[in-house]
Amino acid sequence: MQTRKAIFAGDWYPGDAAGCEREIKTFLEEGRQRPDGDRSFIGGIVPHAGWYFSGSIACNVLHWLQDAEPVDVVVIFGMHLHSGSPSYIMAEGAWETPFGPIEIEQTMAGELAEEFSFRIETTDNFTQDNTIELQLPFVKYFFKDAKLVPMGVPPARKSLEIGKAVADIATRLGRRVKVIGSTDLTHYGNNYGFVVKGTGPAAVDWVRDENDRRVIDAMLAMDPDSVISEALEHQNACCGGAAAAAIAAAKQLGAQKAQSIAYATSYDKSPGDSFVGYVGIVF
């Protein structure tokens, strides 16, 4: 089977299984408190910075998606796209991880590619983008036998229809799925050309308490339209379409409540005038 190479392994996260497992075990120690309630979770929102900055949050979201029933497919929405960008999908082959390759769920991916207009990525012709790959070692670790449907979706209404179709196709095919939206939050500072509140502690507080809070509240309300509008109007989610599509899919699969399990910024580990926000949500 043709396999897509892991581009960011050994740089943004460890390049071997032993190194990944060591970090995952540390992350799990950091996130031992279970989210409220005794329910199973259908999906979640994860950040996608290098593991040093946000790996703990993403790891624990994936961890809390585990339950007693086996998972057939993990669907991940991601990619840094604009509202007018096309959608992307990898429809066959496998994707390399340090724990071994994850096979693409060709039936689901194929039906989606027939129903919507996608640019098809292959194992040797693809956009180098970290948003999906950074999650794959966690997927392989927690859902060893699950297959993958990876998609890039823009912050546009069509992405919500793709999310709903994921749920409908999975239900019709009898696939048990988990859905993930990969996005970081506000990218603030001169490095990102976004300096509306100056620099220093007041700017950090504004990002944490106001700008990120706006889009997090929309995510927790499970309002995908508001997630997209927030991302477009306030620059508080770099992949608002991915988060919105995951919420739309999860709601179609029966999710009714969302909960934040962690929030942080890169400033927490590397203080400076340019920094990024991260949230982990389960629903």
Side-chain angles (χ1 to χ4, degrees):
M1 179 178 296
Q2 294 293 312
T3 301
R4 174 172 173 167
K5 182 175 176 57
I7 300 298
F8 299 93
D11 185 8
W12 292 46
Y13 61 93
D16 61 275
C20 283
E21 186 167 22
R22 281 194 300 271
E23 291 214 22
I24 287 171
K25 288 180 176 178
T26 298
F27 295 154
L28 294 178
E29 283 296 311
E30 294 169 352
R32 283 182 292 177
Q33 184 174 352
R34 179 176 174 79
D36 295 341
D38 194 27
R39 60 194 173 101
S40 294
F41 300 106
I42 292 171
I45 307 296
V46 295
H48 53 239
W51 280 18
Y52 172 78
F53 289 104
S54 69
S56 180
I57 296 175
C59 177
N60 281 288
V61 170
L62 269 293
H63 173 231
W64 292 121
L65 297 188
Q66 282 187 307
D67 52 38
E69 298 297 321
V71 171
D72 300 310
V73 186
V74 176
V75 178
I76 305 182
F77 301 97
M79 293 186 68
H80 295 94
L81 301 172
H82 301 290
S83 57
S85 298
S87 303
Y88 293 78
I89 193 168
M90 185 175 169
E92 61 182 11
W95 200 324
E96 178 186 38
T97 85
F99 295 116
I102 305 177
E103 185 180 347
I104 301 300
E105 214 299 345
Q106 294 188 33
T107 303
M108 282 187 63
E111 290 202 17
L112 287 163
E114 288 182 5
E115 184 174 349
F116 299 94
S117 176
F118 284 98
R119 287 190 182 177
I120 306 298
E121 297 199 317
T122 68
T123 55
D124 57 4
N125 185 12
F126 57 86
T127 302
Q128 294 190 17
D129 186 281
N130 58 295
T131 56
I132 294 174
E133 183 185 322
L134 270 287
Q135 319 308 327
L136 298 186
F138 302 136
V139 171
K140 190 67 175 177
Y141 187 84
F142 295 118
F143 306 102
K144 183 175 182 295
D145 298 319
K147 294 183 180 181
L148 177 70
V149 177
M151 282 177 281
V153 291
R157 181 75 193 179
K158 65 180 179 180
S159 298
L160 308 188
E161 299 307 314
I162 292 172
K164 293 174 185 176
V166 164
D168 293 342
I169 292 169
T171 300
R172 177 166 47 78
L173 294 175
R175 305 290 198 270
R176 189 162 188 269
V177 302
K178 302 290 184 178
V179 294
I180 300 295
S182 176
T183 187
D184 290 343
L185 304 183
T186 304
H187 287 57
Y188 190 89
N190 288 319
N191 289 355
Y192 308 110
F194 187 52
V195 194
V196 295
K197 296 291 180 179
T199 59
V204 177
D205 289 343
W206 177 78
V207 169
R208 287 173 173 160
D209 300 334
E210 296 186 43
N211 210 47
D212 279 356
R213 189 72 252 168
R214 294 172 63 101
V215 75
I216 291 171
D217 285 346
M219 293 172 183
L220 293 176
M222 302 193 71
D223 184 345
D225 289 290
S226 291
V227 171
I228 289 175
S229 64
E230 274 293 327
L232 294 176
E233 293 173 22
H234 300 286
Q235 300 186 46
N236 49 15
C238 65
C239 304
I247 291 168
K251 289 178 70 173
Q252 194 80 350
L253 289 165
Q256 298 178 341
K257 180 182 178 182
Q259 179 182 349
S260 174
I261 65 166
Y263 172 81
T265 71
S266 60
Y267 187 94
D268 300 331
K269 289 195 172 184
S270 180
D273 290 336
S274 294
F275 54 94
V276 180
Y278 316 117
V279 72
I281 291 173
V282 290
F283 37 69

